[in-house]
């Protein structure tokens, strides 16, 4: 996809919330699904931020125990993550799975790391782990986190580029992600270009029902007619 086409598509995807994207994916597929999106609550650090739309950069972390290896090896892992997250096609979203038995024991995301990632041009993060430093996080770098906690404990990156699971949403490197305060969803690449038309169709169908429900004299018979009229829209 060339830059102009990508911008047009991403602008259309950012114009709607994540639930709308989930609905549009159903329309584009022709069937409903119970996979491909987060299924537990995530704490949004910027609830009013526009949706994140970008390509996944996946990583795994732990925090309950110290990292193994020499100081040089630990530094190499830290720098390696930053090199990875800015590599390849952008824009990018960090998707981080905390592998601890109690995810969120230590927070990877706080004032420093959010500022560093924003400076590197990353859009934001989705993680089952924790976030801290509320009020001091980098503005314009939204984070959806599994919990809020006070400490970073022994948090460290253990790897990147592998499949991860964030509350039921399986993500691989390069997946197209749509995320906002509701949660996150993976947009299959072969369906992405179909979504603007699907969004428009759903909006026109819903408008018939919404308009009817807001009118005086609304009742079950009017609702039946509105549903029938909505189903006739193609």
């Amino acid at each position: 996809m060339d830059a102009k086409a990508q911008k047009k598509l991403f602008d259309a995807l950012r114009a709607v919330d994540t639930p709308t994207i989930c609905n549009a994916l159903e329309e584009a597929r022709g069937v409903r699904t119970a996979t491909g999106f987060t299924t537990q609550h995530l704490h949004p650090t910027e609830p009013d931020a526009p949706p994140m739309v970008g390509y996944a950069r996946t990583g795994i972390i732990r925090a309950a125990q110290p990292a193994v290896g020499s100081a040089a090896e630990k530094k190499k892992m830290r720098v390696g993550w930053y090199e990875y997250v800015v590599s390849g096609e952008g824009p990018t979203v960090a998707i981080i799975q905390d592998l601890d038995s109690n995810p969120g024991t230590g927070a990877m995301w706080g004032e420093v790391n959010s500022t560093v990632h924003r400076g590197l041009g990353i859009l934001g993060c989705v993680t089952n782990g924790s976030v801290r430093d509320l009020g001091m996080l980098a503005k314009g770098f939204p984070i959806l986190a599994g919990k809020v906690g006070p400490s970073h404990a022994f948090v460290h990156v253990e790897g990147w580029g592998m499949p991860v699971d964030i509350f039921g949403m399986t993500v691989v490197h390069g997946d197209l992600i749509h995320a906002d305060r509701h949660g996150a969803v993976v947009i299959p690449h072969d369906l992405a270009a179909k979504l603007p038309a699907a969004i428009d169709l759903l909006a026109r169908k819903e408008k018939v029902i919404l308009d009817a429900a807001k009118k005086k004299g609304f009742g079950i018979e009017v609702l039946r007619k509105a549903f029938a009229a909505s189903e006739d829209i193609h």
Side-chain angles (χ1 to χ4, degrees):
M1 185 185 305
D2 62 41
K4 185 176 180 180
Q6 184 197 72
K7 182 180 185 306
K8 182 178 180 181
L9 174 60
F10 280 25
D11 284 348
L13 299 180
R14 276 192 294 266
V16 297
D17 61 19
T18 303
T20 299
I21 294 295
C22 289
N23 290 352
L25 284 170
E26 293 174 358
E27 182 68 32
R29 287 190 182 100
V31 294
R32 291 196 180 192
T33 182
T35 61
F37 50 87
T38 55
T39 58
Q40 294 186 41
H41 174 67
L42 289 161
H43 297 267
T45 59
E46 297 187 17
D48 297 325
M52 293 180 271
V53 181
Y55 299 107
R57 293 296 179 268
T58 61
I60 53 175
I61 64 170
R62 294 184 189 273
Q65 301 294 331
V68 295
S70 66
E73 290 170 332
K74 294 174 185 177
K75 181 179 180 181
K76 183 178 180 180
M77 289 297 290
R78 287 198 302 272
V79 175
W81 162 257
Y82 295 129
E83 291 173 341
Y84 162 72
V85 80
V86 299
S87 65
E89 185 179 10
T92 60
V93 180
I95 311 292
I96 304 293
Q97 183 177 1
D98 188 328
L99 296 178
D100 281 339
S101 59
N102 179 25
T105 297
M108 175 177 176
W109 300 97
E111 180 183 14
V112 173
N113 228 1
S114 64
T115 302
V116 168
H117 281 76
R118 185 190 63 180
L120 291 173
I122 313 307
L123 296 179
C125 173
V126 181
T127 180
N128 67 319
S130 60
V131 63
R132 66 177 191 157
D133 296 340
L134 302 181
M136 296 182 288
L137 296 165
K139 300 301 181 185
F141 186 85
I143 299 168
L144 300 179
K147 63 177 67 172
V148 176
S151 177
H152 56 204
F154 298 106
V155 72
H156 58 280
V157 175
E158 289 209 334
W160 51 82
M162 69 287 291
V164 297
D165 185 293
I166 309 298
F167 294 146
M169 180 181 71
T170 300
V171 182
V172 300
H173 169 89
D175 272 348
L176 181 56
I177 303 296
H178 192 287
D180 68 7
R181 60 186 177 179
H182 299 91
V185 64
V186 173
I187 300 174
H189 291 293
D190 61 337
L191 295 181
K194 299 179 181 179
L195 292 190
I199 291 166
D200 176 70
L201 176 60
L202 288 170
R204 288 187 285 116
K205 286 185 173 184
E206 289 179 352
K207 186 177 187 303
V208 173
I209 298 169
L210 292 171
D211 287 349
K214 294 173 183 177
K215 288 181 179 179
K216 186 177 180 180
F218 177 69
I220 191 66
E221 291 304 321
V222 175
L223 179 60
R224 286 196 182 102
K225 292 179 181 179
F227 276 135
S230 176
E231 290 168 359
D232 287 338
I233 295 174
H234 300 286

